[in-house]
Amino acid sequence: FNVSHGLLAGVATCHVLVAQRLDADSEAFVAEYSRIALSVAPLFLVLLTVCVVSAWTKLQQAWADASRRVVMVTFAVIVYFVAFLFTVGLAGVDVRMDSTY
């Protein structure tokens, strides 16, 4: 599961860098960015789901071992879960924005 965390970070970073490199003032930005975003979104969602499950498993193991890592792992689970909720919640916004262009 550790590979999925690295892949998720890499995909997110690559997506941010591509979005910053494109010229946001032009009409072509929407066409180029939507093509990239639509192809990356399913991959991001799958990796994020795997990471949430992985972090939850690590949290259960930390609770079972009564280790000091419980706080750090709990924080990771919360961050991944919030990111998952934002990703799923913003899917409807993406659909509405795509229909306006």
Side-chain angles (χ1 to χ4, degrees):
F1 286 119
N2 287 335
V3 172
S4 62
H5 296 284
L7 287 174
L8 179 64
V11 167
T13 303
C14 181
H15 191 70
V16 167
L17 291 175
V18 166
Q20 287 181 348
R21 295 289 177 190
L22 294 175
D23 184 20
D25 295 334
S26 68
E27 290 284 326
F29 170 76
V30 174
E32 286 294 318
Y33 183 73
S34 66
R35 187 176 56 130
I36 294 168
L38 289 175
S39 62
V40 171
L43 174 66
F44 183 79
L45 190 57
V46 167
L47 287 173
L48 185 58
T49 304
V50 170
C51 287
V52 167
V53 170
S54 172
W56 182 256
T57 304
K58 288 180 182 180
L59 179 62
Q60 288 178 337
Q61 289 172 351
W63 279 340
D65 297 339
S67 69
R68 294 181 297 168
R69 294 181 339 144
V70 172
V71 175
M72 292 186 315
V73 175
T74 304
F75 179 72
V77 169
I78 291 170
V79 168
Y80 279 130
F81 190 69
V82 168
F84 182 77
L85 289 178
F86 277 131
T87 302
V88 171
L90 291 177
V93 174
D94 287 341
V95 169
R96 283 190 299 239
M97 288 179 66
D98 189 38
S99 66
T100 60
Y101 288 105

